[in-house]
Structure formats: C-alpha cells, structure tokens
Amino acid sequence: MLAPVWLAALAGVLVIALAFWLVSAASTTTIFVMRHAEKLTSNPADPDPALAPAGEARALELAQFFGRAPKGQGIDAIVVSEFRRTQDTVRPLANRTGVPVIRVPAEDVRGTAKRALAENRGGRVLIVGHSDTVPGIVEELSGIDVGPMSEAEYGIVYLVTIPRFSRAAVTRLDLP
C-alpha cells in the first residue's frame, strides 16, 4: 500500500539528483593563458631573470584587471612555472585576491593543462607560462593550434573556454 509513495519519493530524489548533476556538469571552465611579463635582458646567461621595470608595471596592471572581478567571479586558481619571472608576474594579483599560486614544471605542458582543468572544473584559472610553452598549453586545453609565440611578444592572453559538453573555444586578447 505504501509502495506508490516510496516509488514517487524515490523518483523525486532521482530527478533532483539528475538536475543537480546536469547543472554541475554543464558548467564551463574558463582558463586564461599568458606569457610572463617583460624580463630583464641585461644578462643573457641568467636562466632565471627577474622582471624588468616594464614587467613589474605589467604585473600591477594584471592585478588591477583580474582583481576587479566581483566576489565569487574572480580567478579561482593561479598556475605558474618554477621560474621567478612567472611567479613575479602574478605576485601582485595573488596578494590582492588571496588566491594561492600553484607551481608546476615549465616543461610539463600536458601536465599543466590537465591539472588546471581537473582541479578547477567550472572555475576560472590563470596560467602564466613562457613563449615556448603558452601555445602548447592552449593546444592541450583546446585542441586548437595558435601558432608559435615570439620571444618579443608580451601582453597576449589566450582565453580558453571549455564547456562540459561542447568543444573548446580560444579567443586571443592583445593587452597594451
């Protein structure tokens, strides 16, 4: 006699669970991929140079740009390489937002992309790499070849949007 009530309750729970899964699964992951800011070039033999004054200014602009997002809509994670110039590029942003900085090996392009996506599904991530790793990271995330990046290019940000059930898209943003 109570079977129809239990079946209806079970069906209701299943509908709610399915709706919750669909909402969480339909979320889009947004990943910004960029090269570190301008580095010092006074000592070409230095494998880990600091930022140049122009790079320090760009790092502050980056903090202003990403730091203006309303609470809950800003960057959820910051991923950088082990090199000082990537870490210095995001330091003002990390200090302003309190978002921890995750260090990954620069040469592990595939691992960087996989980790950023796996640990931040549905979130917003900033990855700061190098002229020789940014195109590879974008391709690993999206399957789209954006071509090589020259050693003289700064201020290019690739916006990679990855919907759960659709193809990724890449937009190139040229910052001043």
Side-chain angles (χ1 to χ4, degrees):
M1 186 157 170
L2 292 178
V5 172
W6 283 104
L7 287 176
L10 180 60
V13 168
L14 287 175
V15 167
I16 291 170
L18 179 62
F20 178 77
W21 178 80
L22 284 173
V23 167
S24 65
S27 61
T28 297
T29 305
T30 303
I31 302 180
F32 299 91
V33 186
M34 64 178 285
R35 181 181 181 204
H36 58 80
E38 291 85 344
K39 63 184 177 182
L40 288 174
T41 57
S42 55
N43 181 3
D46 185 359
D48 195 13
L51 293 181
E56 292 172 358
R58 186 179 298 278
L60 291 172
E61 290 172 8
L62 183 72
Q64 289 288 324
F65 179 76
F66 284 111
R68 283 191 300 233
K71 190 84 168 161
Q73 294 180 4
I75 296 294
D76 298 310
I78 300 171
V79 180
V80 299
S81 75
E82 71 274 19
F83 293 102
R84 181 168 70 181
R85 56 194 175 272
T86 60
Q87 296 169 36
D88 290 349
T89 298
V90 301
R91 188 174 329 283
L93 175 62
N95 289 341
R96 180 176 180 158
T97 62
V99 175
V101 176
I102 301 163
R103 283 184 221 83
V104 296
E107 72 277 353
D108 189 10
V109 169
R110 177 173 284 163
T112 299
K114 283 185 178 183
R115 182 172 180 184
L117 191 55
E119 294 179 8
N120 300 284
R121 181 68 71 180
R124 290 159 302 280
V125 182
L126 172 63
I127 300 176
V128 178
H130 305 271
S131 61
D132 60 345
T133 63
V134 165
I137 293 169
V138 171
E139 188 168 5
E140 284 293 327
L141 290 167
S142 67
I144 297 170
D145 179 6
V146 294
M149 179 179 271
S150 86
E151 186 65 24
E153 289 182 292
Y154 295 96
I156 296 171
V157 179
Y158 291 99
L159 169 61
V160 182
T161 52
I162 308 165
R164 177 71 95 169
F165 295 117
S166 184
R167 295 171 51 101
V170 176
T171 303
R172 178 182 160 149
L173 309 170
D174 293 306
L175 303 178

PDB file of all heavy atoms in Angstrom, residues 22 25 28-29 37 49-50 59 62 64 67 93 115-116 119 126-127 141-142 144 147 154-155 159 169 171:
ATOM      1  N   LEU A  22      23.231  17.630 -13.876  1.00  0.00           N
ATOM      2  CA  LEU A  22      23.216  18.374 -15.135  1.00  0.00           C
ATOM      3  C   LEU A  22      23.709  19.800 -14.955  1.00  0.00           C
ATOM      4  O   LEU A  22      24.456  20.314 -15.785  1.00  0.00           O
ATOM      5  CB  LEU A  22      21.807  18.377 -15.734  1.00  0.00           C
ATOM      6  CG  LEU A  22      21.370  17.081 -16.397  1.00  0.00           C
ATOM      7  CD1 LEU A  22      19.903  17.161 -16.795  1.00  0.00           C
ATOM      8  CD2 LEU A  22      22.233  16.754 -17.596  1.00  0.00           C
ATOM      9  N   ALA A  25      27.478  19.578 -14.309  1.00  0.00           N
ATOM     10  CA  ALA A  25      28.187  19.079 -15.491  1.00  0.00           C
ATOM     11  C   ALA A  25      28.173  20.077 -16.636  1.00  0.00           C
ATOM     12  O   ALA A  25      29.048  20.063 -17.488  1.00  0.00           O
ATOM     13  CB  ALA A  25      27.579  17.755 -15.940  1.00  0.00           C
ATOM     14  N   THR A  28      31.030  25.713 -17.438  1.00  0.00           N
ATOM     15  CA  THR A  28      32.132  25.997 -18.345  1.00  0.00           C
ATOM     16  C   THR A  28      33.366  26.388 -17.552  1.00  0.00           C
ATOM     17  O   THR A  28      33.284  27.192 -16.628  1.00  0.00           O
ATOM     18  CB  THR A  28      31.747  27.146 -19.301  1.00  0.00           C
ATOM     19  OG1 THR A  28      30.646  26.724 -20.096  1.00  0.00           O
ATOM     20  CG2 THR A  28      32.902  27.538 -20.199  1.00  0.00           C
ATOM     21  N   THR A  29      34.494  25.817 -17.919  1.00  0.00           N
ATOM     22  CA  THR A  29      35.772  26.183 -17.311  1.00  0.00           C
ATOM     23  C   THR A  29      36.401  27.264 -18.182  1.00  0.00           C
ATOM     24  O   THR A  29      36.446  27.147 -19.397  1.00  0.00           O
ATOM     25  CB  THR A  29      36.704  24.958 -17.232  1.00  0.00           C
ATOM     26  OG1 THR A  29      36.021  23.909 -16.547  1.00  0.00           O
ATOM     27  CG2 THR A  29      37.988  25.298 -16.503  1.00  0.00           C
ATOM     28  N   ALA A  37      55.417  38.501 -17.712  1.00  0.00           N
ATOM     29  CA  ALA A  37      55.679  39.892 -18.095  1.00  0.00           C
ATOM     30  C   ALA A  37      57.141  40.061 -18.524  1.00  0.00           C
ATOM     31  O   ALA A  37      57.960  39.143 -18.370  1.00  0.00           O
ATOM     32  CB  ALA A  37      55.341  40.813 -16.924  1.00  0.00           C
ATOM     33  N   PRO A  49      65.922  35.219 -14.870  1.00  0.00           N
ATOM     34  CA  PRO A  49      65.973  36.664 -14.616  1.00  0.00           C
ATOM     35  C   PRO A  49      64.709  37.176 -13.929  1.00  0.00           C
ATOM     36  O   PRO A  49      63.633  36.575 -14.046  1.00  0.00           O
ATOM     37  CB  PRO A  49      66.099  37.261 -16.015  1.00  0.00           C
ATOM     38  CG  PRO A  49      65.455  36.256 -16.906  1.00  0.00           C
ATOM     39  CD  PRO A  49      65.746  34.918 -16.288  1.00  0.00           C
ATOM     40  N   ALA A  50      64.861  38.288 -13.247  1.00  0.00           N
ATOM     41  CA  ALA A  50      63.731  38.968 -12.615  1.00  0.00           C
ATOM     42  C   ALA A  50      62.964  39.745 -13.682  1.00  0.00           C
ATOM     43  O   ALA A  50      63.371  39.803 -14.841  1.00  0.00           O
ATOM     44  CB  ALA A  50      64.250  39.915 -11.531  1.00  0.00           C
ATOM     45  N   ALA A  59      52.709  43.538 -14.344  1.00  0.00           N
ATOM     46  CA  ALA A  59      52.199  42.693 -13.265  1.00  0.00           C
ATOM     47  C   ALA A  59      51.177  43.454 -12.414  1.00  0.00           C
ATOM     48  O   ALA A  59      50.154  42.893 -12.001  1.00  0.00           O
ATOM     49  CB  ALA A  59      53.352  42.185 -12.405  1.00  0.00           C
ATOM     50  N   LEU A  62      47.993  43.692 -14.412  1.00  0.00           N
ATOM     51  CA  LEU A  62      47.333  42.392 -14.385  1.00  0.00           C
ATOM     52  C   LEU A  62      46.524  42.236 -13.090  1.00  0.00           C
ATOM     53  O   LEU A  62      45.381  41.779 -13.110  1.00  0.00           O
ATOM     54  CB  LEU A  62      48.379  41.283 -14.497  1.00  0.00           C
ATOM     55  CG  LEU A  62      47.895  39.851 -14.546  1.00  0.00           C
ATOM     56  CD1 LEU A  62      47.239  39.574 -15.882  1.00  0.00           C
ATOM     57  CD2 LEU A  62      49.065  38.905 -14.333  1.00  0.00           C
ATOM     58  N   GLN A  64      45.302  44.653 -11.298  1.00  0.00           N
ATOM     59  CA  GLN A  64      44.158  45.560 -11.399  1.00  0.00           C
ATOM     60  C   GLN A  64      43.063  44.936 -12.268  1.00  0.00           C
ATOM     61  O   GLN A  64      41.890  44.968 -11.916  1.00  0.00           O
ATOM     62  CB  GLN A  64      44.592  46.898 -12.014  1.00  0.00           C
ATOM     63  CG  GLN A  64      45.447  47.743 -11.122  1.00  0.00           C
ATOM     64  CD  GLN A  64      44.648  48.347  -9.985  1.00  0.00           C
ATOM     65  OE1 GLN A  64      43.497  48.713 -10.154  1.00  0.00           O
ATOM     66  NE2 GLN A  64      45.263  48.433  -8.829  1.00  0.00           N
ATOM     67  N   GLY A  67      41.852  41.617 -10.594  1.00  0.00           N
ATOM     68  CA  GLY A  67      41.448  41.872  -9.208  1.00  0.00           C
ATOM     69  C   GLY A  67      40.154  42.641  -9.080  1.00  0.00           C
ATOM     70  O   GLY A  67      39.601  42.734  -7.987  1.00  0.00           O
ATOM     71  N   LEU A  93      48.717  40.086  -8.078  1.00  0.00           N
ATOM     72  CA  LEU A  93      47.354  39.549  -8.164  1.00  0.00           C
ATOM     73  C   LEU A  93      47.076  38.590  -7.008  1.00  0.00           C
ATOM     74  O   LEU A  93      46.024  38.664  -6.375  1.00  0.00           O
ATOM     75  CB  LEU A  93      47.141  38.839  -9.505  1.00  0.00           C
ATOM     76  CG  LEU A  93      45.800  38.129  -9.686  1.00  0.00           C
ATOM     77  CD1 LEU A  93      44.646  39.119  -9.609  1.00  0.00           C
ATOM     78  CD2 LEU A  93      45.787  37.360 -10.997  1.00  0.00           C
ATOM     79  N   ARG A 115      46.188  19.381 -15.097  1.00  0.00           N
ATOM     80  CA  ARG A 115      45.987  19.741 -13.688  1.00  0.00           C
ATOM     81  C   ARG A 115      45.068  20.956 -13.558  1.00  0.00           C
ATOM     82  O   ARG A 115      44.166  20.973 -12.724  1.00  0.00           O
ATOM     83  CB  ARG A 115      47.334  20.021 -13.018  1.00  0.00           C
ATOM     84  CG  ARG A 115      47.190  20.354 -11.556  1.00  0.00           C
ATOM     85  CD  ARG A 115      48.499  20.436 -10.851  1.00  0.00           C
ATOM     86  NE  ARG A 115      48.280  20.764  -9.454  1.00  0.00           N
ATOM     87  CZ  ARG A 115      49.227  20.985  -8.596  1.00  0.00           C
ATOM     88  NH1 ARG A 115      50.495  20.884  -8.961  1.00  0.00           N
ATOM     89  NH2 ARG A 115      48.943  21.285  -7.344  1.00  0.00           N
ATOM     90  N   ALA A 116      45.306  21.967 -14.370  1.00  0.00           N
ATOM     91  CA  ALA A 116      44.471  23.171 -14.303  1.00  0.00           C
ATOM     92  C   ALA A 116      43.015  22.832 -14.560  1.00  0.00           C
ATOM     93  O   ALA A 116      42.117  23.328 -13.877  1.00  0.00           O
ATOM     94  CB  ALA A 116      44.962  24.216 -15.294  1.00  0.00           C
ATOM     95  N   GLU A 119      41.515  20.156 -11.646  1.00  0.00           N
ATOM     96  CA  GLU A 119      41.335  20.704 -10.298  1.00  0.00           C
ATOM     97  C   GLU A 119      40.415  21.918 -10.250  1.00  0.00           C
ATOM     98  O   GLU A 119      40.105  22.405  -9.166  1.00  0.00           O
ATOM     99  CB  GLU A 119      42.700  21.063  -9.701  1.00  0.00           C
ATOM    100  CG  GLU A 119      43.574  19.859  -9.451  1.00  0.00           C
ATOM    101  CD  GLU A 119      44.937  20.212  -8.874  1.00  0.00           C
ATOM    102  OE1 GLU A 119      45.164  21.385  -8.514  1.00  0.00           O
ATOM    103  OE2 GLU A 119      45.783  19.301  -8.795  1.00  0.00           O
ATOM    104  N   LEU A 126      44.093  31.179 -14.124  1.00  0.00           N
ATOM    105  CA  LEU A 126      45.113  31.933 -14.845  1.00  0.00           C
ATOM    106  C   LEU A 126      46.371  31.076 -14.870  1.00  0.00           C
ATOM    107  O   LEU A 126      46.864  30.656 -13.820  1.00  0.00           O
ATOM    108  CB  LEU A 126      45.410  33.268 -14.152  1.00  0.00           C
ATOM    109  CG  LEU A 126      46.601  34.061 -14.707  1.00  0.00           C
ATOM    110  CD1 LEU A 126      46.347  34.472 -16.156  1.00  0.00           C
ATOM    111  CD2 LEU A 126      46.880  35.275 -13.835  1.00  0.00           C
ATOM    112  N   ILE A 127      46.869  30.781 -16.077  1.00  0.00           N
ATOM    113  CA  ILE A 127      48.134  30.061 -16.238  1.00  0.00           C
ATOM    114  C   ILE A 127      49.126  31.029 -16.844  1.00  0.00           C
ATOM    115  O   ILE A 127      48.855  31.635 -17.882  1.00  0.00           O
ATOM    116  CB  ILE A 127      47.988  28.827 -17.154  1.00  0.00           C
ATOM    117  CG1 ILE A 127      46.974  27.833 -16.594  1.00  0.00           C
ATOM    118  CG2 ILE A 127      49.351  28.155 -17.348  1.00  0.00           C
ATOM    119  CD1 ILE A 127      46.706  26.643 -17.506  1.00  0.00           C
ATOM    120  N   LEU A 141      44.722  22.274 -23.924  1.00  0.00           N
ATOM    121  CA  LEU A 141      43.412  22.572 -23.344  1.00  0.00           C
ATOM    122  C   LEU A 141      42.291  22.529 -24.371  1.00  0.00           C
ATOM    123  O   LEU A 141      41.174  22.108 -24.062  1.00  0.00           O
ATOM    124  CB  LEU A 141      43.425  23.961 -22.688  1.00  0.00           C
ATOM    125  CG  LEU A 141      44.241  24.106 -21.418  1.00  0.00           C
ATOM    126  CD1 LEU A 141      44.413  25.580 -21.070  1.00  0.00           C
ATOM    127  CD2 LEU A 141      43.574  23.350 -20.271  1.00  0.00           C
ATOM    128  N   SER A 142      42.582  22.980 -25.598  1.00  0.00           N
ATOM    129  CA  SER A 142      41.510  23.213 -26.567  1.00  0.00           C
ATOM    130  C   SER A 142      41.578  22.358 -27.825  1.00  0.00           C
ATOM    131  O   SER A 142      40.587  22.248 -28.542  1.00  0.00           O
ATOM    132  CB  SER A 142      41.534  24.681 -26.986  1.00  0.00           C
ATOM    133  OG  SER A 142      42.723  24.961 -27.714  1.00  0.00           O
ATOM    134  N   ILE A 144      43.320  23.376 -30.251  1.00  0.00           N
ATOM    135  CA  ILE A 144      43.489  24.402 -31.278  1.00  0.00           C
ATOM    136  C   ILE A 144      44.935  24.883 -31.286  1.00  0.00           C
ATOM    137  O   ILE A 144      45.467  25.282 -30.254  1.00  0.00           O
ATOM    138  CB  ILE A 144      42.528  25.581 -31.021  1.00  0.00           C
ATOM    139  CG1 ILE A 144      41.075  25.093 -31.115  1.00  0.00           C
ATOM    140  CG2 ILE A 144      42.788  26.720 -31.996  1.00  0.00           C
ATOM    141  CD1 ILE A 144      40.052  26.097 -30.640  1.00  0.00           C
ATOM    142  N   GLY A 147      49.701  28.649 -33.084  1.00  0.00           N
ATOM    143  CA  GLY A 147      50.964  29.047 -33.705  1.00  0.00           C
ATOM    144  C   GLY A 147      51.995  29.438 -32.669  1.00  0.00           C
ATOM    145  O   GLY A 147      51.696  29.580 -31.483  1.00  0.00           O
ATOM    146  N   TYR A 154      54.724  40.138 -25.650  1.00  0.00           N
ATOM    147  CA  TYR A 154      54.173  40.218 -24.295  1.00  0.00           C
ATOM    148  C   TYR A 154      52.768  40.789 -24.426  1.00  0.00           C
ATOM    149  O   TYR A 154      52.460  41.473 -25.395  1.00  0.00           O
ATOM    150  CB  TYR A 154      55.016  41.136 -23.408  1.00  0.00           C
ATOM    151  CG  TYR A 154      56.420  40.621 -23.153  1.00  0.00           C
ATOM    152  CD1 TYR A 154      57.479  41.056 -23.937  1.00  0.00           C
ATOM    153  CD2 TYR A 154      56.674  39.706 -22.143  1.00  0.00           C
ATOM    154  CE1 TYR A 154      58.771  40.598 -23.706  1.00  0.00           C
ATOM    155  CE2 TYR A 154      57.960  39.238 -21.910  1.00  0.00           C
ATOM    156  CZ  TYR A 154      59.001  39.688 -22.702  1.00  0.00           C
ATOM    157  OH  TYR A 154      60.271  39.228 -22.475  1.00  0.00           O
ATOM    158  N   GLY A 155      51.929  40.546 -23.476  1.00  0.00           N
ATOM    159  CA  GLY A 155      50.602  41.138 -23.494  1.00  0.00           C
ATOM    160  C   GLY A 155      49.562  40.350 -24.255  1.00  0.00           C
ATOM    161  O   GLY A 155      48.441  40.801 -24.416  1.00  0.00           O
ATOM    162  N   LEU A 159      42.191  33.329 -24.080  1.00  0.00           N
ATOM    163  CA  LEU A 159      41.026  32.968 -23.280  1.00  0.00           C
ATOM    164  C   LEU A 159      40.493  31.655 -23.828  1.00  0.00           C
ATOM    165  O   LEU A 159      40.006  31.602 -24.964  1.00  0.00           O
ATOM    166  CB  LEU A 159      39.966  34.071 -23.372  1.00  0.00           C
ATOM    167  CG  LEU A 159      38.588  33.759 -22.817  1.00  0.00           C
ATOM    168  CD1 LEU A 159      38.667  33.434 -21.327  1.00  0.00           C
ATOM    169  CD2 LEU A 159      37.660  34.925 -23.063  1.00  0.00           C
ATOM    170  N   ALA A 169      36.759  26.689 -27.081  1.00  0.00           N
ATOM    171  CA  ALA A 169      36.966  27.842 -27.948  1.00  0.00           C
ATOM    172  C   ALA A 169      38.142  28.639 -27.419  1.00  0.00           C
ATOM    173  O   ALA A 169      38.394  28.673 -26.209  1.00  0.00           O
ATOM    174  CB  ALA A 169      35.711  28.704 -27.982  1.00  0.00           C
ATOM    175  N   THR A 171      40.031  32.505 -27.686  1.00  0.00           N
ATOM    176  CA  THR A 171      39.994  33.891 -28.118  1.00  0.00           C
ATOM    177  C   THR A 171      41.318  34.519 -27.741  1.00  0.00           C
ATOM    178  O   THR A 171      41.759  34.394 -26.596  1.00  0.00           O
ATOM    179  CB  THR A 171      38.851  34.663 -27.422  1.00  0.00           C
ATOM    180  OG1 THR A 171      37.612  33.982 -27.695  1.00  0.00           O
ATOM    181  CG2 THR A 171      38.766  36.091 -27.921  1.00  0.00           C
TER     182      THR A 171
END
